[in-house]
Amino acid sequence: MRLVIARCSVDYAGRLTAHLPSAPRLILVKADGSVSIHADDRAYKPLNWMSPPCTLKEGAGDDAGVWTVVNKAGEKLIITMEEVLHDSSHELGVDPGLIKDGVEAHLQELLADRIETLGEGYSLIRREYMTAIGPVDILCRDADGQTVAVEIKRRGEIDGVEQLTRYLELLNRDPHLAPVKGIFAAQEIKPQARVLATDRGIGCTVLDYDAMRGIEDDKLRLF
Protein backbone atom coordinates (compact mmCIF):
# COMPACT_ATOMS: atom_id res chain seq x y z
CA MET A 1 0.00 0.00 0.00
CA ARG A 2 1.20 3.49 -0.86
CA LEU A 3 0.21 6.44 1.33
CA VAL A 4 0.51 9.94 -0.08
CA ILE A 5 -0.50 13.09 1.78
CA ALA A 6 -0.55 16.04 -0.59
CA ARG A 7 -2.20 19.33 -1.36
CA CYS A 8 -4.01 18.45 -4.55
CA SER A 9 -7.05 18.94 -6.74
CA VAL A 10 -8.98 16.05 -8.27
CA ASP A 11 -11.05 15.78 -11.44
CA TYR A 12 -13.21 12.84 -12.44
CA ALA A 13 -14.37 12.32 -16.03
CA GLY A 14 -16.69 9.47 -16.87
CA ARG A 15 -20.44 8.98 -16.83
CA LEU A 16 -20.48 12.36 -15.09
CA THR A 17 -17.88 14.94 -14.10
CA ALA A 18 -16.79 16.01 -10.63
CA HIS A 19 -14.16 18.35 -9.24
CA LEU A 20 -12.47 18.55 -5.85
CA PRO A 21 -10.72 21.92 -5.35
CA SER A 22 -7.24 22.17 -3.94
CA ALA A 23 -6.87 20.96 -0.34
CA PRO A 24 -4.65 18.67 1.74
CA ARG A 25 -5.79 15.05 1.25
CA LEU A 26 -4.75 11.45 1.79
CA ILE A 27 -4.33 9.32 -1.33
CA LEU A 28 -4.34 5.53 -0.94
CA VAL A 29 -2.91 3.35 -3.70
CA LYS A 30 -3.58 -0.31 -2.86
CA ALA A 31 -1.98 -3.47 -4.17
CA ASP A 32 -5.19 -4.41 -6.00
CA GLY A 33 -4.77 -1.27 -8.14
CA SER A 34 -7.50 0.80 -6.51
CA VAL A 35 -6.92 4.50 -5.83
CA SER A 36 -8.96 6.49 -3.31
CA ILE A 37 -8.83 10.09 -2.08
CA HIS A 38 -9.73 10.87 1.54
CA ALA A 39 -10.38 13.96 3.64
CA ASP A 40 -9.95 14.14 7.40
CA ASP A 41 -13.66 14.49 8.20
CA ARG A 42 -15.44 11.73 6.23
CA ALA A 43 -14.80 8.63 8.38
CA TYR A 44 -13.86 5.67 6.16
CA LYS A 45 -15.60 6.83 2.97
CA PRO A 46 -13.40 8.37 0.26
CA LEU A 47 -14.22 11.63 -1.49
CA ASN A 48 -13.52 9.95 -4.81
CA TRP A 49 -12.04 6.66 -5.92
CA MET A 50 -11.33 4.30 -8.80
CA SER A 51 -12.00 0.62 -8.30
CA PRO A 52 -9.78 -2.07 -9.86
CA PRO A 53 -8.89 -3.06 -12.46
CA CYS A 54 -7.36 0.30 -13.32
CA THR A 55 -3.98 1.77 -14.21
CA LEU A 56 -2.09 4.64 -12.62
CA LYS A 57 0.26 6.81 -14.68
CA GLU A 58 2.43 9.44 -13.00
CA GLY A 59 3.26 12.36 -15.25
CA ALA A 60 6.76 13.52 -16.15
CA GLY A 61 8.26 16.73 -17.51
CA ASP A 62 5.61 19.42 -17.88
CA ASP A 63 3.06 17.00 -16.42
CA ALA A 64 5.12 16.12 -13.36
CA GLY A 65 2.85 15.93 -10.35
CA VAL A 66 -0.18 14.89 -12.39
CA TRP A 67 -1.53 11.38 -11.76
CA THR A 68 -3.99 9.88 -14.23
CA VAL A 69 -5.98 6.83 -13.17
CA VAL A 70 -7.97 5.04 -15.89
CA ASN A 71 -10.33 2.08 -15.43
CA LYS A 72 -11.43 -0.52 -17.99
CA ALA A 73 -14.46 1.62 -18.93
CA GLY A 74 -12.19 4.54 -19.88
CA GLU A 75 -13.24 6.69 -16.92
CA LYS A 76 -10.46 8.94 -15.61
CA LEU A 77 -9.45 10.25 -12.22
CA ILE A 78 -6.90 13.07 -12.61
CA ILE A 79 -5.01 14.09 -9.46
CA THR A 80 -2.97 17.28 -9.69
CA MET A 81 -0.35 17.52 -6.93
CA GLU A 82 0.66 20.95 -5.74
CA GLU A 83 2.71 19.90 -2.73
CA VAL A 84 3.58 16.40 -1.50
CA LEU A 85 3.81 16.30 2.29
CA HIS A 86 4.33 12.55 2.72
CA ASP A 87 4.92 9.57 0.42
CA SER A 88 5.55 6.07 1.73
CA SER A 89 4.92 2.47 0.71
CA HIS A 90 4.20 -0.45 3.02
CA GLU A 91 3.93 -4.20 2.36
CA LEU A 92 0.88 -5.49 4.26
CA GLY A 93 0.97 -9.08 2.99
CA VAL A 94 -2.02 -11.35 2.50
CA ASP A 95 -4.96 -10.37 4.67
CA PRO A 96 -6.57 -13.26 6.60
CA GLY A 97 -10.01 -11.87 5.79
CA LEU A 98 -12.88 -10.69 7.92
CA ILE A 99 -13.94 -13.00 10.72
CA LYS A 100 -17.70 -13.22 10.63
CA ASP A 101 -19.69 -12.47 13.75
CA GLY A 102 -21.97 -15.15 15.12
CA VAL A 103 -25.03 -14.11 13.14
CA GLU A 104 -23.20 -13.88 9.79
CA ALA A 105 -21.46 -17.21 10.37
CA HIS A 106 -24.78 -18.84 11.23
CA LEU A 107 -26.47 -17.25 8.20
CA GLN A 108 -23.77 -18.74 6.01
CA GLU A 109 -24.24 -22.17 7.57
CA LEU A 110 -28.04 -21.99 7.24
CA LEU A 111 -27.96 -20.77 3.65
CA ALA A 112 -25.46 -23.45 2.63
CA ASP A 113 -27.71 -26.07 4.18
CA ARG A 114 -30.81 -24.54 2.57
CA ILE A 115 -29.29 -23.32 -0.68
CA GLU A 116 -32.68 -23.60 -2.39
CA THR A 117 -33.56 -20.38 -0.52
CA LEU A 118 -31.80 -18.62 -3.41
CA GLY A 119 -34.02 -20.32 -5.97
CA GLU A 120 -35.31 -23.65 -7.17
CA GLY A 121 -32.58 -25.87 -8.61
CA TYR A 122 -29.65 -24.25 -6.78
CA SER A 123 -26.90 -26.62 -5.60
CA LEU A 124 -23.97 -26.01 -3.27
CA ILE A 125 -20.37 -26.27 -4.47
CA ARG A 126 -18.80 -25.31 -1.14
CA ARG A 127 -18.69 -22.81 1.70
CA GLU A 128 -15.69 -20.54 2.22
CA TYR A 129 -14.37 -21.02 -1.33
CA MET A 130 -10.82 -19.72 -1.09
CA THR A 131 -9.43 -17.18 -3.55
CA ALA A 132 -6.19 -15.21 -3.65
CA ILE A 133 -7.93 -12.26 -1.94
CA GLY A 134 -9.97 -14.15 0.63
CA PRO A 135 -12.78 -16.69 0.92
CA VAL A 136 -16.08 -16.38 -0.94
CA ASP A 137 -18.85 -17.12 1.57
CA ILE A 138 -20.71 -19.56 -0.67
CA LEU A 139 -20.03 -20.85 -4.16
CA CYS A 140 -22.96 -22.63 -5.79
CA ARG A 141 -24.70 -23.33 -9.11
CA ASP A 142 -28.12 -22.19 -10.25
CA ALA A 143 -30.73 -24.30 -12.05
CA ASP A 144 -28.98 -23.64 -15.38
CA GLY A 145 -25.61 -24.79 -14.04
CA GLN A 146 -24.07 -21.31 -13.91
CA THR A 147 -21.61 -20.65 -11.10
CA VAL A 148 -22.85 -18.21 -8.45
CA ALA A 149 -20.76 -16.45 -5.79
CA VAL A 150 -22.70 -15.37 -2.69
CA GLU A 151 -21.53 -12.73 -0.22
CA ILE A 152 -23.41 -12.78 3.09
CA LYS A 153 -23.75 -9.86 5.49
CA ARG A 154 -25.95 -9.13 8.46
CA ARG A 155 -26.41 -5.60 7.11
CA GLY A 156 -25.74 -5.10 3.42
CA GLU A 157 -23.88 -1.90 2.61
CA ILE A 158 -21.79 -0.58 -0.28
CA ASP A 159 -18.52 -2.03 1.00
CA GLY A 160 -20.06 -5.53 0.84
CA VAL A 161 -20.98 -5.01 -2.81
CA GLU A 162 -17.44 -3.80 -3.51
CA GLN A 163 -16.06 -6.92 -1.82
CA LEU A 164 -18.25 -9.21 -3.92
CA THR A 165 -17.28 -7.27 -7.07
CA ARG A 166 -13.60 -8.01 -6.40
CA TYR A 167 -14.36 -11.71 -5.92
CA LEU A 168 -16.35 -11.83 -9.18
CA GLU A 169 -13.58 -10.14 -11.16
CA LEU A 170 -11.14 -12.77 -9.89
CA LEU A 171 -13.43 -15.81 -10.24
CA ASN A 172 -14.35 -14.88 -13.81
CA ARG A 173 -10.70 -15.29 -14.80
CA ASP A 174 -10.99 -19.02 -14.03
CA PRO A 175 -12.19 -20.83 -17.18
CA HIS A 176 -13.44 -23.73 -15.06
CA LEU A 177 -15.88 -21.43 -13.22
CA ALA A 178 -16.69 -18.62 -15.65
CA PRO A 179 -19.11 -17.11 -16.22
CA VAL A 180 -19.72 -16.40 -12.53
CA LYS A 181 -22.61 -14.21 -11.37
CA GLY A 182 -23.04 -12.73 -7.90
CA ILE A 183 -25.71 -12.60 -5.23
CA PHE A 184 -25.50 -10.16 -2.32
CA ALA A 185 -27.44 -11.67 0.59
CA ALA A 186 -28.17 -9.95 3.89
CA GLN A 187 -30.81 -9.52 6.56
CA GLU A 188 -31.09 -5.88 5.50
CA ILE A 189 -29.81 -4.30 2.30
CA LYS A 190 -29.31 -0.54 2.24
CA PRO A 191 -30.85 1.28 -0.75
CA GLN A 192 -27.47 2.59 -1.93
CA ALA A 193 -26.01 -0.93 -1.83
CA ARG A 194 -28.95 -2.31 -3.80
CA VAL A 195 -28.56 0.39 -6.48
CA LEU A 196 -24.82 -0.32 -6.80
CA ALA A 197 -25.39 -4.08 -6.93
CA THR A 198 -28.06 -3.72 -9.61
CA ASP A 199 -25.79 -1.44 -11.64
CA ARG A 200 -23.10 -4.15 -11.57
CA GLY A 201 -25.46 -6.98 -12.45
CA ILE A 202 -25.40 -8.46 -8.94
CA GLY A 203 -28.59 -9.95 -7.53
CA CYS A 204 -29.85 -9.07 -4.05
CA THR A 205 -31.54 -11.46 -1.61
CA VAL A 206 -32.93 -10.49 1.80
CA LEU A 207 -32.48 -13.30 4.31
CA ASP A 208 -35.01 -13.89 7.09
CA TYR A 209 -32.77 -15.24 9.84
CA ASP A 210 -35.60 -16.31 12.14
CA ALA A 211 -37.51 -18.02 9.34
CA MET A 212 -34.40 -19.84 8.16
CA ARG A 213 -33.74 -21.10 11.67
CA GLY A 214 -37.35 -22.20 11.97
CA ILE A 215 -37.43 -24.30 8.81
CA GLU A 216 -38.03 -27.89 9.79
CA ASP A 217 -35.09 -30.01 8.70
CA ASP A 218 -36.31 -32.88 6.55
CA LYS A 219 -32.83 -34.12 5.63
CA LEU A 220 -31.62 -37.41 7.07
CA ARG A 221 -28.91 -36.93 9.69
CA LEU A 222 -26.50 -39.38 11.28
CA PHE A 223 -26.25 -37.22 14.39
Side-chain angles (χ1 to χ4, degrees):
M1 178 181 289
R2 185 177 177 186
L3 307 175
V4 178
I5 299 175
R7 177 174 290 278
C8 63
S9 59
V10 183
D11 292 279
Y12 167 80
R15 287 172 291 181
L16 47 82
T17 59
H19 174 72
L20 292 173
S22 176
R25 297 188 176 94
L26 168 65
I27 304 166
L28 297 183
V29 183
K30 298 175 68 176
D32 63 4
S34 63
V35 178
S36 56
I37 296 97
H38 299 260
D40 202 22
D41 63 345
R42 302 297 177 91
Y44 65 92
K45 292 186 178 181
L47 297 168
N48 214 326
W49 69 94
M50 194 70 80
S51 300
C54 56
T55 58
L56 167 62
K57 180 180 178 180
E58 298 185 42
D62 293 340
D63 292 327
V66 178
W67 290 11
T68 303
V69 187
V70 184
N71 67 10
K72 62 182 180 181
E75 299 168 316
K76 292 183 179 181
L77 196 63
I78 301 171
I79 307 169
T80 304
M81 309 283 190
E82 298 171 15
E83 181 184 9
V84 177
L85 305 173
H86 175 85
D87 189 345
S88 64
S89 297
H90 307 270
E91 180 58 54
L92 301 185
V94 178
D95 191 89
L98 179 68
I99 298 174
K100 300 284 185 180
D101 67 20
V103 173
E104 287 186 10
H106 199 202
L107 277 170
Q108 183 190 115
E109 180 182 347
L110 287 169
L111 187 56
D113 193 47
R114 299 288 185 177
I115 198 67
E116 63 273 12
T117 300
L118 297 176
E120 185 177 351
Y122 272 72
S123 60
L124 178 69
I125 297 176
R126 66 167 297 168
R127 291 171 54 195
E128 298 287 332
Y129 184 88
M130 187 55 65
T131 74
I133 57 174
V136 177
D137 287 338
I138 290 179
L139 199 68
C140 58
R141 288 191 177 91
D142 66 13
D144 298 321
Q146 183 175 355
T147 309
V148 183
V150 185
E151 179 63 26
I152 300 170
K153 298 293 185 186
R154 181 168 57 179
R155 184 170 63 181
E157 301 191 70
I158 285 177
D159 56 351
V161 178
E162 295 283 7
Q163 183 180 357
L164 179 54
T165 300
R166 292 193 292 272
Y167 287 142
L168 290 171
E169 288 173 349
L170 190 63
L171 292 169
N172 273 299
R173 298 176 195 171
D174 186 338
H176 299 292
L177 297 175
V180 184
K181 65 181 181 181
I183 293 179
F184 189 49
Q187 288 181 279
E188 174 193 2
I189 300 178
K190 296 293 185 180
Q192 299 93 331
R194 187 180 291 275
V195 169
L196 181 61
T198 301
D199 182 67
R200 295 183 177 180
I202 294 172
C204 292
T205 298
V206 176
L207 301 175
D208 188 328
Y209 182 51
D210 292 334
M212 290 173 69
R213 287 190 302 171
I215 295 175
E216 183 177 352
D217 192 349
D218 57 359
K219 292 189 175 78
L220 295 176
R221 301 283 187 181
L222 292 178
F223 303 97

